[in-house]
Amino acid sequence: MGFDSVISLLRFRGSAFRFSGQKTVNLVSAIETVNLLIGGNPETELEKDANSITNKTVLVQKKILDHLLLLGVESHWAPVPVHSAALQCIGDLIAGHPKNKDVLASKVLGDEPQVERALNSILRIILRSSSMQEFLAADYVIRCFCEKNPDGQLMLASTMTQRPLLTNSDLLVENVSITFGSMLLRGLFVSENDGNLEICSRAASVFSYILKDNNRCKEQALQINLEVPLQSIGAPEPLMHHLVKCLALASSMSKDGTSDGKGSLFVQPLLLKVLVTWLVDSPSSVQCFLDARPHLTFLIELLSNQAVSACVRGLAAVLLGECVIYNKSVENSNDAFFVVDTLSQKVGLTSYFEKFNEMQKSSLFSSKRPMDLHKPLKRSSVADLADVEDAVESVTADQQNEDHPIHASLFDASFVDLVNNLEIKIREQIVETYSHPKSLVASVPAELEQKTGEADAEYIQRLKSFLQKQCSEIQDLLGRNASLAEQLAKTDRMPEQSTGRASVEALKRELKEASERQAMLRADKEKIESEAAMYKTLTGKMESDLKSLSDAYNSIEQANFHLEKEVKALRSSGATPYPDVEAIRAEAREEALKESEVELNDLLVCLGQEQSKVEKLSARILELGEDVDELLEGIGDDTALPEHMVLQSWASRERGRLM
């Protein structure tokens, strides 16, 4: 039927300010139809699926983005399911399609002079939406736009200019003249007075897409310094340092139990995500991170913070590992060996590597990832559109639940693969760095020889200095060997302890599962017993009814038996138990008919004879010259009827008698 018919389903019909339940279902169903048209083969790469690419191209050429932007961004009266479905469809349309990304980048919304770029409006939804479903859908659009789009990433990064007096309360004010980057910086900024960590984490999610696999954007972001408000006495700080400060603030709130709401579920993971993305393949970013000594101390403390989830501790371990594998510093206080040595002393390499194992056990990094949040809207849920939000807005009481579907939506498969690859590199590099420490001095055999013209006292002093340095290095090696031996001893004891703990934990899990199964079985038993009692009562009633029916049937059988017996007796005696009235009546009618026919024939014969006599007499009278009519005139007028009337009267009497 062509794409025009499908696109026409997205047009507004009726009032644009009222959305009934049926109208919502129709729009969401139409958007899902578009998703089916552009959905590619799961076994084929997105960029190589010819059918999907062709359909996306044709649909965008037919201005479908205008309709989707109207439903997803411009229409403030459309319900959240329509907004989310439209934004999700926009992301699918531009995913793996460079030309469609350029078309979206050029789209503007609104009327003059209040004109705003579509990407800016989508970013405002990310930062301001109170609906988690809508935020995730808008975040998906930016992710698809930045994926394998270095030019688009640079375009967005170029708008991130320094702005004074940054406050994210300004985000509540409509300002279409603000650039994408300026709005993003305002979202990233958190002050002591009006900070909002949830808005900051949402902005960090967008910022991570801009930095992903783009070193030019990373270098440009390193030059950004946030200017604090006038009432604060602090100096401008690099953007990276500000994000670490926000992470520390979120960590302290989580530790104190002051974090609230659904935002606390993903604030720390998203802030760690943007830092991990920033440091990948960027030695200058690693150097900027280590320039502030408290950063390293904070990450080490975060590794041991049991108030945060295993996913947060694992991402902190990845961030520390990046400070090793991408560290090109030659300074003793910031080089890779210093980071590894600090980890070994304060945490222990065994405990450090255990954080990776704990992280890999979470559903985010396992093969069974939670399902997508985006679910089709059904007619049964239209009556109450709030039900659509329940799957996303419901937040469990356990704030460490990294299995929440929000995480699966924010941590895409590419980021999970990046973390898994980084883990392998980190393990190899840390072992390599720790087992091959750098030399504190260059041991040149020529230093042992006395130089020409060198005094004996100077030579002896130089040898003493050289020997002192060698002793210092040997002492460090002995200390490291002792540390490794201690860790090895702990590792040898750990299998039994870990086995015991694992057994206890396994038994606890089995006990919990058994208790749950027992509770379920008990509930099933009660339900079955209730049903059995009901069926027993019903069976008793049915048995009583069946007995009554059986008694009635038996009495009928007995009566029938007696009647059959009487009939047989009557038939054997030759008597007819019941006269056949109809047969008797038919027989009597037949006999009466025969008698009347005989009488009628006799009468007709008599009439014939009389007629012959009259004819002979009339002929004789005529011969005598008399007028027959005159002679017969007046005879029978008073006492007799005409012949035909006599016959009719007789026939009527005969019919009455026969009836």
Side-chain angles (χ1 to χ4, degrees):
M1 64 179 179
F3 290 154
D4 293 332
S5 301
V6 177
I7 296 175
S8 65
L9 298 176
L10 300 176
R11 296 192 179 96
F12 280 123
R13 289 175 173 81
S15 175
F17 306 101
R18 296 181 59 187
F19 281 80
S20 62
Q22 187 60 52
K23 187 175 183 179
T24 301
V25 169
N26 294 341
L27 288 173
V28 174
S29 300
I31 294 173
E32 289 177 354
T33 303
V34 177
N35 289 331
L36 292 175
L37 292 173
I38 62 179
N41 186 354
E43 300 179 357
T44 307
E45 293 185 13
L46 194 60
E47 294 81 1
K48 297 181 180 180
D49 194 330
N51 293 331
S52 177
I53 294 296
T54 302
N55 289 347
K56 290 179 181 180
T57 303
V58 175
L59 286 169
V60 172
Q61 289 175 352
K62 292 182 176 295
K63 309 296 183 182
I64 193 174
L65 281 178
D66 295 338
H67 299 288
L68 292 174
L69 287 171
L70 178 61
L71 291 173
V73 181
E74 289 188 280
S75 177
H76 300 291
W77 297 274
V80 170
V82 175
H83 281 171
S84 304
L87 290 169
Q88 187 85 15
C89 188
I90 292 173
D92 293 336
L93 280 169
I94 65 175
H97 201 298
K99 292 184 178 180
N100 287 358
K101 294 177 182 179
D102 294 339
V103 173
L104 178 62
S106 63
K107 289 290 182 182
V108 293
L109 305 178
D111 300 323
E112 293 290 349
Q114 300 294 322
V115 177
E116 185 177 39
R117 290 193 174 274
L119 289 175
N120 294 21
S121 300
I122 294 173
L123 176 61
R124 183 173 281 107
I125 292 176
I126 294 175
L127 300 178
R128 296 173 53 181
S129 177
S130 60
S131 167
M132 189 59 59
Q133 185 183 14
E134 191 175 17
F135 153 62
L136 294 175
D139 183 84
Y140 176 71
V141 176
I142 302 297
R143 183 206 308 174
C144 294
F145 177 80
C146 294
E147 189 75 23
K148 297 181 181 180
N149 185 18
D151 294 336
Q153 290 172 302
L154 283 173
M155 178 194 70
L156 297 179
S158 64
T159 62
M160 298 181 66
T161 56
Q162 297 157 297
R163 293 280 180 177
L165 303 177
L166 291 179
T167 58
N168 52 29
S169 60
D170 294 340
L171 295 173
L172 301 177
V173 181
E174 289 284 354
N175 186 2
V176 295
S177 62
I178 191 173
T179 63
F180 184 95
S182 298
M183 191 190 310
L184 184 61
L185 285 176
R186 295 189 180 189
L188 290 170
F189 181 76
V190 175
S191 66
E192 298 178 358
N193 299 324
D194 61 346
N196 190 319
L197 288 175
E198 183 178 349
I199 293 179
C200 178
S201 64
R202 292 186 181 192
S205 177
V206 176
F207 190 39
S208 67
Y209 303 142
I210 298 176
L211 298 177
K212 183 181 178 182
D213 300 329
N214 196 319
N215 286 330
R216 291 180 61 185
C217 290
K218 294 176 182 179
E219 294 296 330
Q220 186 171 341
L222 290 175
Q223 308 304 320
I224 299 175
N225 293 321
L226 296 180
E227 299 183 14
V228 297
L230 294 176
Q231 60 268 26
S232 175
I233 60 175
E237 60 181 349
L239 178 58
M240 178 182 289
H241 293 188
H242 176 76
L243 292 177
V244 178
K245 184 177 73 174
C246 295
L247 178 61
L249 179 59
S251 177
S252 64
M253 294 175 63
S254 176
K255 188 174 183 180
D256 298 339
T258 57
S259 58
D260 59 340
K262 55 184 176 295
S264 60
L265 285 172
F266 55 85
V267 169
Q268 295 179 79
L270 284 182
L271 291 173
L272 284 167
K273 175 186 176 183
V274 68
L275 292 172
V276 169
T277 304
W278 201 339
L279 267 58
V280 172
D281 291 326
S282 180
S284 58
S285 301
V286 173
Q287 185 63 41
C288 178
F289 181 83
L290 294 176
D291 283 344
R293 183 62 60 88
H295 291 176
L296 187 61
T297 305
F298 163 68
L299 286 183
I300 292 176
E301 292 177 353
L302 190 60
L303 288 177
S304 305
N305 187 356
Q306 297 300 320
V308 299
S309 65
C311 180
V312 171
R313 294 193 295 270
L315 291 176
V318 172
L319 192 58
L320 280 170
E322 288 180 311
C323 294
V324 176
I325 61 178
Y326 300 120
N327 194 328
K328 306 301 180 183
S329 176
V330 295
E331 299 179 7
N332 294 337
S333 59
N334 281 339
D335 60 359
F337 181 79
F338 173 77
V339 177
V340 175
D341 192 46
T342 304
L343 276 174
S344 176
Q345 293 179 12
K346 296 187 176 181
V347 180
L349 297 183
T350 302
S351 177
Y352 170 73
F353 289 134
E354 184 64 24
K355 307 305 177 185
F356 291 103
N357 299 333
E358 294 175 359
M359 179 181 63
Q360 292 297 337
K361 293 178 182 178
S362 66
S363 62
L364 289 177
F365 296 90
S366 64
S367 58
K368 296 181 180 180
R369 289 171 56 83
M371 297 181 65
D372 193 4
L373 285 173
H374 179 64
K375 298 180 180 180
L377 184 66
K378 299 180 180 179
R379 293 176 184 268
S380 59
S381 62
V382 171
D384 187 4
L385 293 178
D387 293 343
V388 182
E389 287 284 288
D390 289 344
V392 184
E393 303 296 344
S394 59
V395 179
T396 60
D398 184 8
Q399 299 299 329
Q400 300 183 20
N401 183 15
E402 62 265 22
D403 296 336
H404 197 280
I406 293 177
H407 293 108
S409 299
L410 295 175
F411 291 88
D412 54 299
S414 61
F415 179 75
V416 173
D417 293 339
L418 171 65
V419 171
N420 292 333
N421 294 332
L422 285 174
E423 179 186 350
I424 298 174
K425 295 179 181 179
I426 290 169
R427 290 179 181 271
E428 295 175 352
Q429 188 64 37
I430 287 181
V431 173
E432 178 71 18
T433 302
Y434 201 82
S435 59
H436 297 84
K438 69 171 187 176
S439 298
L440 298 179
V441 296
S443 57
V444 181
E447 292 185 359
L448 300 177
E449 301 293 335
Q450 188 175 8
K451 297 179 181 179
T452 303
E454 184 179 15
D456 292 341
E458 294 178 354
Y459 176 60
I460 293 173
Q461 186 65 30
R462 185 164 55 82
L463 287 178
K464 288 182 178 180
S465 177
F466 178 77
L467 290 175
Q468 288 176 355
K469 292 179 180 179
Q470 291 295 320
C471 290
S472 177
E473 182 177 355
I474 292 172
Q475 189 66 30
D476 290 341
L477 287 174
L478 291 175
R480 285 192 292 274
N481 289 337
S483 176
L484 287 175
E486 183 180 357
Q487 292 183 20
L488 182 61
K490 290 181 179 179
T491 305
D492 292 338
R493 294 192 300 268
M494 281 180 64
E496 298 180 0
Q497 299 176 358
S498 61
T499 302
R501 287 195 299 268
S503 301
V504 172
E505 292 296 330
L507 290 174
K508 287 182 178 179
R509 287 195 298 270
E510 292 178 0
L511 179 60
K512 183 178 179 181
E513 293 176 358
S515 300
E516 293 177 353
R517 287 197 297 269
Q518 184 180 7
M520 293 175 60
L521 291 174
R522 188 179 293 110
D524 293 341
K525 179 184 176 183
E526 293 177 356
K527 182 179 179 181
I528 292 173
E529 289 178 350
S530 176
E531 292 179 353
M534 181 185 67
Y535 289 137
K536 186 176 181 180
T537 303
L538 184 61
T539 302
K541 182 180 179 182
M542 293 181 68
E543 287 179 353
S544 176
D545 295 342
L546 181 61
K547 185 177 180 181
S548 300
L549 290 174
S550 178
D551 294 341
Y553 180 76
N554 291 333
S555 62
I556 293 173
E557 285 288 334
Q558 291 177 1
N560 187 36
F561 176 75
H562 290 304
L563 291 174
E564 288 181 352
K565 189 175 181 181
E566 292 178 2
V567 169
K568 288 181 180 179
L570 291 173
R571 286 180 178 176
S572 61
S573 62
T576 302
Y578 299 103
D580 192 348
V581 177
E582 293 295 331
I584 295 173
R585 184 179 296 174
E587 184 178 356
R589 186 182 298 110
E590 184 177 356
E591 291 179 357
L593 182 60
K594 289 181 180 180
E595 292 178 358
S596 61
E597 287 180 353
V598 172
E599 292 178 358
L600 181 60
N601 291 332
D602 294 341
L603 181 59
L604 291 175
V605 171
C606 294
L607 288 175
Q609 292 176 355
E610 293 297 328
Q611 183 66 26
S612 298
K613 292 178 180 180
V614 170
E615 290 177 354
K616 290 181 179 181
L617 290 174
S618 298
R620 183 61 180 167
I621 291 171
L622 289 174
E623 291 177 359
L624 295 176
E626 294 291 337
D627 188 356
V628 177
D629 293 332
E630 290 181 359
L631 291 175
L632 295 177
E633 185 178 356
I635 297 175
D637 291 343
D638 298 331
T639 60
L641 294 173
E643 291 182 2
H644 67 279
M645 293 184 66
V646 173
L647 292 176
Q648 288 180 356
S649 176
W650 178 83
S652 296
R653 288 196 304 270
E654 290 297 324
R655 282 197 298 271
R657 187 171 62 85
L658 293 176
M659 294 299 294

